[in-house]
Amino acid sequence: MSPPEHRPESEADEDETTDDSTAFRPAIDAHTHLLPERLTAAIRRSLGDEAGWEFSHPTARRELEAVLRSAGVAAYVALPYAHKAGLASELNAWLLDRAAESDRLVPFATVHPDDEDVAGVVREAFEGGARGLKIHCPVQECRPAESRLEPALEVAADYDRPITYHGGTAPMFEDSPYVGADAFAELLDSYPELRVCCAHMGTYETEAFLEFAREYENVYLDTTFAMSTAAEETMGFDPSSIADETLVELSDSIMYGSDFPNIPYPYREERAELLARDLPRETARDLFYRTAVEYLGLDDLPGLETE
Ligand SMILES: [Zn+2]
């Protein structure tokens, strides 16, 4: 046996070529993050300090895409978020530029509730090609449908674009007044026609959020982090608490996401738990592809499977 060849850690970690599961490929990853280097570093520092996580995945578009491509990801949604007022337009423009260079990046927009022209920021991004909006309730310190955000929600409704929320209490927001099922219910009461996704399966209130998905046709959940093989260890959530039957029942409301590249484990672990369940093929294709197509309104994109 020859000694192992030295390879850069990211490359060794990210070798996805042995997994050719057709249950997964082609996939849409509905939840990733691509941000300017300085912001990525700041987010990683804060997650490192608060959660003790370490990250080794690449953060630049090209390298990040190489990992996703070899995993079989045909399109990925990049979710920006502005942690203070006055940054959103610039962040949106930056991400739209990255999307223009890419054959698989689906850009979302960000807006801060204290931005001067909330509606204008969102409209400008949608006109520039953003396919949806991301709102990070605990970081941006806003409830999902509070009045400062209403102009943004109106624009999303006008343009028929979806909104992905960090709206649950995980992993460290159980004391936050901005998240949780009660706060999310206000959104559903006021804007039942909006397509909205609560990330991370709504953890730690998965039962309440699954119930929303049952009750409201326009409510989606993403599997990000919560359904990974590392969920128990990293966020104290047991993915097996969500039964196979629930995934089968709600496969048109649940879509695969990853939080890549800000995850302290290899990318394949994000889907390994779901694949190990050996779900019916139709369910798997919904989770890994078709539900995101519906949510995003992507079926007109060339090169994507539209069964
Ligand atoms: Zn995320």
Side-chain angles (χ1 to χ4, degrees), residues 283-302:
T283 302
R285 294 311 299 149
D286 282 351
L287 298 177
F288 292 124
Y289 194 91
R290 285 191 294 241
T291 303
V293 169
E294 292 292 319
Y295 176 69
L296 299 166
L298 272 187
D299 40 9
D300 57 337
L301 274 196

Side-chain angles (χ1 to χ4, degrees), residues 13-29 67-73 223-230 247 256-258 260 263 265-279 284 287-288:
D13 258 13
E14 313 293 10
D15 184 6
E16 294 277 355
T17 48
T18 52
D19 176 7
D20 58 359
S21 160
T22 57
F24 183 70
R25 296 164 181 252
I28 295 175
D29 187 331
V67 176
L68 297 176
R69 186 182 298 115
S70 65
V73 173
T223 63
T224 307
F225 234 108
M227 303 306 282
S228 82
T229 52
L247 297 177
Y256 168 75
S258 70
F260 190 74
I263 49 176
Y265 45 81
Y267 185 60
R268 63 173 65 249
E269 290 191 24
E270 197 71 51
R271 61 186 185 277
E273 201 271 349
L274 290 165
L275 288 172
R277 290 171 182 246
D278 211 9
L279 294 162
L287 298 177
F288 292 124

Side-chain angles (χ1 to χ4, degrees), residues 203-216:
T203 44
Y204 295 107
E205 296 170 287
T206 49
E207 275 313 314
F209 279 95
L210 287 165
E211 203 48 48
F212 288 149
R214 270 185 199 100
E215 202 177 325
Y216 294 87

Side-chain angles (χ1 to χ4, degrees), residues 31-33 79 81 134 136 166 199-200 224 258-259:
H31 187 141
T32 74
H33 297 288
L79 304 170
Y81 50 97
K134 157 76 177 203
H136 199 306
H166 188 122
H200 313 294
T224 307
S258 70
D259 251 339

Side-chain angles (χ1 to χ4, degrees), residues 159-180:
Y159 281 75
D160 191 27
R161 300 284 158 87
I163 307 180
T164 294
Y165 282 92
H166 188 122
T169 53
M172 56 186 93
F173 304 118
E174 281 176 296
D175 297 327
S176 166
Y178 306 112
V179 293

